[in-house]
Amino acid sequence: MNNKAAKGTWAAAFTVASVWFGTHVGGGFASGNQVVNYFSQYGWMAVAFPIIAMGILALVMYTVMKFAKLSGFTNYKDTFSALYPKPWMEVFFEIFYIIILLAAVGAAVAGAGEVLANFFGVDYTVTATKFLFNLLVVALLIVLSIFGVKLVIAASTVLSIAILISTAVIVVTGFATDLDAISAQYLSANNLQAAAYTDSPAKAVWLGIVIYSAFQCVSIPPMIAASEGLSVKGIKRANILGWLMNGLALAASAAMLCRWYPLLAALQGAGIEGFTNAISGIPNQTVLTLVGIKWMMIIFSILLFSAFVSTSVTLVFTMIQRFQGHCFPQTIHNEKVRGVIVGVIVITICFAVSLLGLGKIIKYAYGYDGYYAILVIYLPVLIWGIPKVRKLSAEKKAELEQ
């Protein structure tokens, strides 16, 4: 097989699709919070929404990646500078990207803090507890950012695979467990009735399909970089595989948590001790608590905590690399000093954001950035991106046939 043909194979496309999958299936997904917030709480009809949402994202991403390929770009900055009618408008995407990265680190810190609190049986909803555990995570984050960045980055792939496997085991366990018996036990013991799903079809469609797919545009920059070695055909196949991988994994998790939602929501709504954040915290951890498989609970908690910390360190390092060159370079000549200043600013902001809690960050920070993404990514791709891709495609017809 020649080199040009290899660039369009399904195997090469799978490697790039895995970058999207790895970006998407992080701690927020593995915790179950993201899944409940945007899908499971709305009932069984919402289980199909991940397939549609990821399909929309795949189409948008394919358009942007194809434009980058035909234009000879390998990074998001050059791509969006050329896609918008004016190069300076690229700052609109930059704002979206910075907000989602800061929110992601804040969510990761909050998630790690909550995993610790739940593991030790402490009520994370208490403000002082939240502050203390998040501060402990930030302290660990600072130490790792100074001394262990290379180790964390090297371990991130292994952690991603491990957390994916453990999440898959939880999904299977959640389906296989006798939920009726567990529900009867907990509901009767606390004199409760199973909670109803959120009855708001229009809101479910808007949030679960449009907004969720919009803020997941955070995957565009790494996908542009990863697809440098693909042909246009390979880019198309990468997005098809990415759509299926992400959509099906998300749908499976949504279906499992949809099954458990009435019980979890009832326990949280009644303020039952140990379940005050059953839905708004880490639903997958709550499911394991109810199932009662302690060894799985321990393994999942360790992996999820590690995944959250790994995400935090990696993203903080990314932002330091991105902004240290703009931190008073004429005044502060030492690159390490500039890096420390940027790191302190980023970690301080993310710690403040983390105090909102994992649920609120995912619901509001991610959500509102999704609204913004519709304006600065979806509409520009529709208005300017598609026509520019058509023009480039006509000019480079021979390349598209490879």
Side-chain angles (χ1 to χ4, degrees), residues 214-284:
F215 73 71
Q216 287 296 336
C217 284
V218 66
S219 297
I220 291 177
M223 284 291 280
I224 291 175
S227 64
E228 181 181 357
L230 292 183
S231 64
V232 174
K233 181 187 288 186
I235 289 173
K236 183 177 182 179
R237 288 178 170 181
N239 279 283
I240 291 172
L241 289 174
W243 164 52
L244 294 173
M245 290 162 65
N246 286 280
L248 292 174
L250 196 57
S253 182
M256 187 277 288
L257 285 169
C258 185
R259 182 173 185 251
W260 284 82
Y261 180 84
L263 174 59
L264 301 186
L267 293 173
Q268 176 173 307
I272 304 302
E273 185 177 354
F275 298 98
T276 52
N277 58 347
I279 286 294
S280 59
I282 303 177
N284 280 344

Side-chain angles (χ1 to χ4, degrees), residues 6 9 19 32-33 39 41 60 85 88 128 131 165 196 214 251 257 269 279 295 317 332 350 381 385 390 396 399:
T9 63
V19 173
N33 190 300
F39 304 107
Q41 67 166 311
V60 171
W88 65 264
F131 187 92
I165 293 171
L257 285 169
I279 286 294
W295 65 267
F317 179 73
I332 305 172
C350 292
V381 166
R390 286 175 177 168
K396 300 187 178 185
E399 184 177 337

Side-chain angles (χ1 to χ4, degrees), residues 142-354:
I142 292 172
V143 172
L144 289 174
S145 296
I146 296 172
F147 301 108
V149 172
K150 290 183 179 179
L151 175 64
V152 170
I153 292 175
S156 62
T157 301
V158 176
L159 280 173
S160 297
I161 294 171
I163 197 67
L164 174 61
I165 293 171
S166 64
T167 304
V169 171
I170 291 171
V171 170
V172 173
T173 303
F175 279 119
T177 300
D178 186 355
L179 177 59
D180 291 337
I182 294 175
S183 294
Q185 176 189 342
Y186 279 89
L187 294 177
S188 61
N190 295 285
N191 196 27
L192 298 173
Q193 289 186 337
Y197 294 109
T198 302
D199 185 17
S200 184
K203 184 179 179 182
V205 170
W206 177 249
L207 293 178
I209 295 177
V210 182
I211 298 302
Y212 189 87
S213 64
F215 73 71
Q216 287 296 336
C217 284
V218 66
S219 297
I220 291 177
M223 284 291 280
I224 291 175
S227 64
E228 181 181 357
L230 292 183
S231 64
V232 174
K233 181 187 288 186
I235 289 173
K236 183 177 182 179
R237 288 178 170 181
N239 279 283
I240 291 172
L241 289 174
W243 164 52
L244 294 173
M245 290 162 65
N246 286 280
L248 292 174
L250 196 57
S253 182
M256 187 277 288
L257 285 169
C258 185
R259 182 173 185 251
W260 284 82
Y261 180 84
L263 174 59
L264 301 186
L267 293 173
Q268 176 173 307
I272 304 302
E273 185 177 354
F275 298 98
T276 52
N277 58 347
I279 286 294
S280 59
I282 303 177
N284 280 344
Q285 205 173 24
T286 307
V287 169
L288 286 179
T289 299
L290 291 168
V291 172
I293 305 177
K294 291 186 178 180
W295 65 267
M296 190 184 296
M297 174 70 164
I298 294 171
I299 292 174
F300 177 70
S301 297
I302 292 172
L303 288 175
L304 186 57
F305 177 81
S306 300
F308 276 132
V309 171
S310 172
T311 297
S312 299
V313 173
T314 303
L315 293 182
V316 168
F317 179 73
T318 299
M319 284 187 277
I320 289 174
Q321 294 294 102
R322 176 71 179 83
F323 294 109
Q324 68 177 1
H326 303 283
C327 183
F328 309 109
Q330 302 301 322
T331 307
I332 305 172
H333 301 289
N334 190 303
E335 187 176 296
K336 290 185 178 180
V337 173
R338 294 201 305 269
V340 169
I341 293 172
V342 173
V344 168
I345 294 171
V346 168
I347 290 174
T348 301
I349 293 172
C350 292
F351 174 68
V353 171
S354 75

